[in-house]
Amino acid sequence: MLLKLAWRNIWRNKRRSMIVIGSVMVGVIALIIIDGLNNGFLSQMLFNQVDLNISHVQIHKRGFHDNKVVQSFIPDKKKVEKILRKNGKIKHFSERVVSFGLVSSAVSSSGVFILGINPEDESKITTVSKSIIKGKYFNGKGREIVIGSKLAEKLKVDLGGKVIALANRPDGSIGSEVFRIVGIFRSPSSNFDKTYIFVPIKTLQRMLGIGNNIHEFAIVTQNYNLAETVRDEIKQELSDKYEVLSYHDILPLLIMQMDLYKETMYIINMIIGLALIFGIINSMLMAVFERVNEIGVLMAIGMKNGKIFSMILLESLLIGIVGTVFGVFIGLGLNEILSVQGIDFSLFSKSLESWGIGAVIYPHLSLENLITTFLMIPFITMLGAIYPAWKAIKLEPVAAIRYV
Amino acid sequence: MEILRTENVNKIYRDNGVPVQALKDINLKISKGEYLVIAGPSGSGKTTLLNLLGTLDKPTSGKIFFENSDYTSKNRKELSEFRLRKLGFVFQAYNLIPVLTALENIEFSMMLLGIPEKERRERAMNLMAELGIDDLADKKPNEMSGGQQQRVAVARAIVNNPLIVLADEPTANLDSANGSKLLDLMEKMNEEKNITFIFSSHDKQVIERAKRLIILKDGQIVNEN
């Protein structure tokens, strides 16, 4: 009955309650949009890198990740392949030769990562093949090369143009090859577009004089969340001559940033909650002062302070719950629309692309933060009623009954 | 059987720093089943005395005993519990909870006692039928007349079988016909259920029906019969 009484008390002054519920609702919508945007921002920063190049899990010879020397080959390619094929959690994998070198055109040159790939396998691992804006993704034969748009601008080359790639061979000599540009890609990361070039794996192996050796296996699992499980499973089957890394290991700073962001959301919740709390205090104080006489009667008929206190807190909590529920529904609806359409931040495209995010951000809500908002905002709303409730129980029954 | 006793009760208010003696040396003994009216002109101390007897206020000096237990030294929580279990109140302005129906208003004090919903509903309905107000069950206070509201207030006051019902000017806001109907009801409850009623009133028809009358003047009992 206390709940019924509290609920009905809220609607005694519909306009005032609707204003407070509206303010809670706006706060919750703002939190959902902020969370969606921030989370989308960080997720895009992380997953663009994962999808463009990193993949979910990588296997190298131990030490290759920190020191990419050309002679650090995968010790037993066949053995690794066998292990990968029998793991049901792995969707695709691709062999890579990775080298750091120089690419030159007639007018300019630039330091780049040269990736020797099998395009058919690699197209299942990364999104580069889908990011071609000119020409095509190569077929993996001959001296074809795919480069980024930023690099093409820097080298002042276009489709059909020739570039020379140079890189160290294991014996210390320089390997070189002339390539014809068959495709130019544009990814969400301007840095990636400037520093990565893709050539057929056989051509790069020949250029570096490394036979059939490779440096890396790039693996895509059934979903992102399986990356660490798959890493651990592969690790168990390989000796310590190998290093097996998930994208968490390769991009630790971004993962830390995402974890830190979750903590930040608590603070943002608190700030919005604090902004709301003053409105709640004001509204609940008015509600208490309007009912001084009635509170006096409740005291006279034997309602204890604890129950009166709870009733006022409950009224505020109900306002918070109603506002939060509506806010979550509207916020989720808006988030759903924005997550499909994306929010165009072309005005800031330069800086966003340098962060590897892309000019369009697709909001992405985290369930954890949504639950935090759902629990925290009604709780904060309830806290806002503590002072008015305290004022109520400090009333003297005789004075309260006579209060006009 | 004596249920209530006051010993040299005094109440002094401060009005802008000036002490005002509202009650002076009140000595009273009230037995179970009494139908007592405290009468007197405005400012004589009727409501102050009723508030003290209702444990809503404390005397400046003197003691008040309920069933031989001193209630002037009890704390707020104990007094609240006592009022819930032992006292019923009927106010001049009815003071029903506006957001609850008549039935819920009557149920409310049973809810505070922790009586299960089914039982309290049954008890409230039975009492309403007994008082002839069962047709008001689903009506909210603003849908009832003053007389109807005051009858519901009486039901609320007696539903927990209190030791004493304190009624402060219960007929003041009613016309004489409705006032008379209300008094009939309270008399009936006094006679049939042996509930003790203490009224404060200067309404002639309340005073005429008193089985015991105490006249107050300037905070002192000047006549008792």
Side-chain angles (χ1 to χ4, degrees):
Chain A
M1 190 180 253
L2 203 62
L3 183 70
K4 194 192 279 180
L5 182 61
W7 177 255
R8 288 188 193 165
N9 278 336
I10 294 174
W11 304 111
R12 289 166 82 151
N13 191 326
K14 285 196 185 79
R15 191 167 53 181
R16 187 177 57 216
S17 295
M18 288 305 290
I19 289 170
V20 183
I21 287 170
S23 67
V24 173
M25 208 169 77
V26 169
V28 170
I29 293 170
L31 274 170
I32 289 175
I33 300 294
I34 291 168
D35 182 41
L37 257 180
N38 283 345
N39 215 26
F41 184 91
L42 285 170
S43 298
Q44 272 174 244
M45 197 158 39
L46 174 68
F47 293 116
N48 280 347
Q49 288 201 47
V50 170
D51 293 343
L52 266 176
N53 179 38
I54 306 288
S55 72
H56 300 180
V57 179
Q58 290 184 359
I59 305 173
H60 314 120
K61 184 184 177 186
R62 179 159 297 280
F64 182 79
H65 178 61
D66 294 328
N67 185 14
K68 290 182 173 51
V69 290
V70 70
Q71 56 271 44
S72 280
F73 308 126
I74 295 276
D76 188 345
K77 197 168 88 168
K78 296 271 177 223
K79 183 185 172 188
V80 177
E81 265 185 32
K82 212 173 152 190
I83 291 168
L84 299 185
R85 282 191 205 287
K86 69 175 187 192
N87 191 320
K89 295 187 186 84
I90 293 173
K91 211 168 167 186
H92 304 292
F93 65 88
S94 170
E95 296 176 3
R96 286 172 176 175
V97 170
V98 182
S99 178
F100 185 74
L102 195 74
V103 63
S104 306
S105 68
V107 291
S108 184
S109 60
S110 188
V112 287
F113 283 103
I114 309 167
L115 260 70
I117 54 160
N118 176 345
E120 199 185 322
D121 291 338
E122 192 69 18
S123 62
K124 293 170 190 161
I125 301 287
T126 70
T127 53
V128 175
S129 61
K130 297 180 192 84
S131 310
I132 301 287
I133 52 166
K134 267 186 186 175
K136 60 180 175 64
Y137 199 51
F138 53 56
N139 58 23
K141 287 173 191 158
R143 297 194 180 95
E144 293 179 334
I145 188 169
V146 171
I147 67 170
S149 57
K150 292 284 172 190
L151 184 63
E153 274 172 34
K154 189 179 176 190
L155 298 177
K156 295 192 168 46
V157 289
D158 209 338
L159 275 185
K162 282 181 185 171
V163 289
I164 300 168
L166 304 161
N168 271 333
R169 302 173 76 156
D171 61 6
S173 61
I174 303 288
S176 67
E177 195 65 77
V178 178
F179 292 96
R180 185 175 295 278
I181 300 167
V182 294
I184 295 174
F185 63 85
R186 184 172 179 177
S187 75
S189 166
S190 55
N191 201 34
F192 185 81
D193 295 353
K194 224 183 281 174
T195 51
Y196 279 81
I197 61 172
F198 296 86
V199 299
I201 191 164
K202 294 277 177 212
T203 314
L204 186 58
Q205 281 168 332
R206 198 170 53 240
M207 180 183 127
L208 297 174
I210 58 171
N212 278 332
N213 284 308
I214 61 162
H215 298 111
E216 185 173 282
F217 275 98
I219 301 158
V220 167
T221 59
Q222 298 293 347
N223 74 59
Y224 292 105
N225 301 329
L226 287 172
E228 290 188 72
T229 314
V230 168
R231 174 198 65 190
D232 295 343
E233 285 173 4
I234 298 170
K235 250 185 192 174
Q236 277 180 355
E237 297 195 56
L238 289 174
S239 69
D240 58 4
K241 284 187 203 160
Y242 296 86
E243 64 184 10
V244 187
L245 305 170
S246 75
Y247 67 88
H248 286 251
D249 307 316
I250 298 164
L251 301 164
L253 278 176
L254 259 175
I255 300 293
M256 265 169 63
Q257 212 173 331
M258 286 188 87
D259 288 342
L260 184 71
Y261 164 69
K262 282 178 191 163
E263 311 293 321
T264 315
M265 259 326 270
Y266 283 103
I267 298 167
I268 297 173
N269 266 290
M270 295 272 275
I271 292 169
I272 294 211
L274 266 177
L276 287 175
I277 219 165
F278 291 102
I280 299 283
I281 292 172
N282 184 38
S283 159
M284 292 311 291
L285 266 179
M286 282 162 68
V288 165
F289 286 127
E290 271 174 15
R291 282 152 48 197
V292 166
N293 191 266
E294 193 179 311
I295 290 166
V297 172
L298 292 173
M299 286 172 162
I301 63 174
M303 193 168 182
K304 292 194 188 71
N305 281 352
K307 277 234 159 72
I308 294 173
F309 196 86
S310 306
M311 180 183 75
I312 293 165
L313 251 54
L314 199 55
E315 287 173 24
S316 196
L317 178 69
L318 288 173
I319 285 177
I321 291 173
V322 173
T324 304
V325 167
F326 280 107
V328 164
F329 273 113
I330 296 170
L332 281 178
L334 280 173
N335 189 73
E336 189 59 33
I337 295 166
L338 294 174
S339 68
V340 174
Q341 290 182 347
I343 305 173
D344 194 345
F345 284 99
S346 297
L347 209 60
F348 313 105
S349 62
K350 243 185 175 169
S351 63
L352 287 171
E353 280 169 9
S354 70
W355 283 90
I357 296 162
V360 179
I361 293 180
Y362 297 89
H364 171 75
L365 266 183
S366 81
L367 184 66
E368 194 183 327
N369 287 340
L370 191 65
I371 292 170
T372 306
T373 300
F374 210 94
L375 296 177
M376 213 159 162
I377 294 301
F379 178 71
I380 291 173
T381 333
M382 190 179 72
L383 290 185
I386 286 179
Y387 177 64
W390 182 80
K391 290 291 276 183
I393 62 168
K394 286 289 148 197
L395 291 169
E396 284 300 327
V398 170
I401 291 168
R402 285 193 192 154
Y403 185 85
V404 183
Chain B
M1 187 179 70
E2 180 191 290
I3 53 170
L4 172 59
R5 184 172 84 247
T6 66
E7 286 180 1
N8 300 318
V9 166
N10 286 280
K11 182 72 186 176
I12 299 169
Y13 289 117
R14 298 216 158 253
D15 188 8
N16 290 326
V18 181
V20 178
Q21 179 108 30
L23 291 173
K24 196 177 175 189
D25 294 329
I26 302 291
N27 289 293
L28 263 178
K29 281 181 184 172
I30 298 168
S31 302
K32 173 111 182 104
E34 283 205 51
Y35 194 85
L36 181 151
V37 176
I38 302 166
S42 291
S44 60
K46 302 185 297 291
T47 299
T48 305
L49 180 57
L50 211 69
N51 287 338
L52 292 177
L53 299 180
T55 73
L56 297 172
D57 203 357
K58 288 196 171 185
T60 312
S61 66
K63 289 189 170 173
I64 300 172
F65 296 87
F66 287 94
E67 294 175 317
N68 293 320
S69 177
D70 178 16
Y71 272 77
T72 46
S73 57
K74 303 260 185 207
N75 66 29
R76 220 173 138 132
K77 197 176 170 186
E78 288 166 331
L79 292 176
S80 190
E81 184 70 22
F82 171 73
R83 287 196 296 270
L84 177 62
R85 292 184 183 279
K86 301 282 184 176
L87 300 182
F89 289 89
V90 179
F91 301 97
Q92 180 179 335
Y94 332 127
N95 288 337
L96 297 174
I97 301 166
V99 292
L100 299 183
T101 63
L103 181 70
E104 289 164 344
N105 263 287
I106 297 166
E107 272 186 68
F108 191 74
S109 50
M110 287 191 277
M111 182 275 285
L112 295 177
L113 277 174
I115 294 169
E117 191 177 350
K118 199 179 162 196
E119 187 190 334
R120 65 180 191 236
R121 181 131 305 194
E122 203 177 296
R123 268 172 64 179
M125 284 303 287
N126 288 343
L127 181 64
M128 288 186 94
E130 197 180 335
L131 300 184
I133 52 169
D134 44 345
D135 55 323
L136 302 175
D138 296 327
K139 291 199 164 148
K140 287 199 175 155
N142 63 359
E143 296 162 344
M144 292 186 273
S145 70
Q148 288 172 327
Q149 284 186 64
Q150 200 61 308
R151 284 198 288 281
V152 173
V154 170
R156 177 178 71 180
I158 63 172
V159 73
N160 282 337
N161 299 316
L163 191 65
I164 303 167
V165 171
L166 297 137
D168 185 17
E169 309 266 11
T171 55
N173 287 356
L174 303 177
D175 58 41
S176 59
N178 270 311
S180 176
K181 259 168 114 173
L182 183 80
L183 292 171
D184 289 344
L185 184 77
M186 294 207 259
E187 256 182 66
K188 189 180 159 204
M189 290 299 110
N190 172 251
E191 279 158 17
E192 289 178 4
K193 294 182 184 268
N194 201 28
I195 297 172
T196 310
F197 278 87
I198 304 176
F199 294 84
S200 89
S201 183
H202 48 50
D203 181 351
K204 207 172 149 193
Q205 62 173 339
V206 176
I207 295 167
E208 279 170 359
R209 290 178 181 226
K211 292 175 186 165
R212 182 178 167 197
L213 183 65
I214 291 170
I215 311 282
L216 280 182
K217 192 178 176 193
D218 298 330
Q220 291 185 82
I221 296 174
V222 291
N223 197 359
E224 190 176 347
N225 49 50

